[in-house]
Amino acid sequence: NCYRIGSDEFAILCTAVESVFHDSIHKMICKVELERTHTPWFPNISYGYHMLQSGESLFAAFQKEDEQMYHYKHR
């Protein structure tokens, strides 16, 4: 499920094993890079992710994902 949580921020909630999840992220990055070769003005994408841990609140998981996204965004 995909949810808009801000003006240009979206959250995707899914049930996937970690290896499948990482493969999906890799495919997304490759497609974005390919599109950028044809469309130089294609927007940059910043993302973060977090695998929900047992007993962890959804709010805490979103905070960890958000911290990761901003860490990569400012590199």
Side-chain angles (χ1 to χ4, degrees):
N1 297 323
C2 184
Y3 302 93
R4 186 175 186 178
I5 59 172
S7 62
D8 63 350
E9 294 182 6
F10 295 84
I12 298 172
L13 303 179
C14 64
T15 55
V17 294
E18 197 165 354
S19 61
V20 172
F21 181 76
H22 287 288
D23 185 51
S24 296
I25 288 175
H26 178 73
K27 287 178 183 177
M28 177 192 72
I29 291 168
C30 289
K31 287 181 180 185
V32 167
E33 289 175 357
L34 179 63
E35 184 63 33
R36 193 166 282 118
T37 63
H38 303 297
T39 312
W41 51 265
F42 196 78
N44 289 322
I45 296 174
S46 298
Y47 69 93
Y49 67 91
H50 180 72
M51 305 295 281
L52 188 65
Q53 304 299 309
S54 177
E56 183 177 36
S57 74
L58 197 53
F59 181 76
F62 272 118
Q63 284 182 314
K64 289 177 183 176
E65 171 279 325
D66 207 39
E67 289 170 5
Q68 184 187 59
M69 181 195 63
Y70 281 106
H71 171 76
Y72 289 123
K73 188 175 187 173
H74 291 105
R75 286 177 113 185

